[in-house]
Amino acid sequence: MASLNVGNLGEYLREQRRNAQLSLRQLADAAGVSNPYLSQIERGLRKPSAEVLQQVAKALRISAETLYVRAGILDAERDLNEVETRAVILADPTLDERQKQVLLQIYESFRKENGFWSGEERTGDTDTVGAEDHDPGRDTGDSETDDSETDDSETDPRRTAG
């Protein structure tokens, strides 16, 4: 058999393409890859690069991480639940793009609050409110958190938030 053990990826891509009601040619055009190459990927005859998978994921409006896991680029054990949850949210046809993004932001904020970080969000996204922002009694020892206001509690131990 000529398959490169990417049949699971190919089957998944075919399913996603059909769910998006795209022909093979339409998806190939949208992803910027050749029609024969995409056909070979779907049949499990070719293993695409991460870049090609990212282009296909963007064209299908699905998570590139899901494709990376299915292609064996990412370890399947690495936060597979997160990848699947994101994929389900992004694939839901009843939500518009704004709703999907808001739902993903809420999901990510809960993950951060519980001590889990997404691979996509580790690069410095600090706008999401974490658990440390909700516990005014917790002393983090970080006195430089907010330079915009003078906080007398730093110099007077009797004055605390409450």
Side-chain angles (χ1 to χ4, degrees):
M1 188 164 147
S3 177
L4 298 174
N5 197 21
V6 290
N8 188 23
L9 170 67
E11 292 168 17
Y12 181 76
L13 281 177
R14 182 178 292 118
E15 179 184 328
Q16 294 301 310
R17 178 176 58 79
R18 288 179 176 161
N19 287 343
Q21 299 178 341
L22 293 172
S23 70
L24 190 63
R25 186 175 309 276
Q26 288 171 320
L27 178 56
D29 288 343
V33 298
S34 74
N35 187 26
Y37 182 60
L38 186 58
S39 174
Q40 290 173 346
I41 294 170
E42 281 193 1
R43 291 182 286 144
L45 302 175
R46 295 275 183 157
K47 184 174 181 178
S49 67
E51 183 179 330
V52 168
L53 288 174
Q54 185 175 17
Q55 292 170 251
V56 171
K58 185 175 180 180
L60 287 170
R61 299 181 142 202
I62 62 174
S63 166
E65 282 187 340
T66 301
L67 297 184
Y68 295 160
V69 168
R70 290 185 182 268
I73 294 172
L74 285 180
D75 182 11
E77 296 300 314
R78 190 197 74 94
D79 270 347
L80 188 57
N81 288 336
E82 177 202 356
V83 171
E84 289 176 346
T85 301
R86 288 175 165 274
V88 167
I89 291 169
L90 291 170
D92 189 331
T94 63
L95 301 174
D96 65 31
E97 284 303 309
R98 183 190 61 78
Q99 292 168 329
K100 290 176 185 180
Q101 292 307 312
V102 168
L103 194 51
L104 287 172
Q105 288 172 354
I106 293 169
Y107 173 67
E108 189 60 35
S109 72
F110 284 140
R111 286 183 52 81
K112 285 181 181 180
E113 186 172 320
N114 293 331
F116 296 96
W117 293 79
S118 159
E120 294 176 3
E121 300 294 325
R122 287 184 185 153
T123 59
D125 177 11
T126 56
D127 292 338
T128 307
V129 176
E132 64 276 3
D133 297 327
H134 292 294
D135 189 358
R138 191 175 117 192
D139 182 13
T140 62
D142 184 8
S143 62
E144 297 177 7
T145 318
D146 185 3
D147 294 331
S148 63
E149 297 179 12
T150 303
D151 185 1
D152 292 336
S153 66
E154 290 177 7
T155 56
D156 187 348
R158 294 170 295 180
R159 296 187 67 183
T160 58

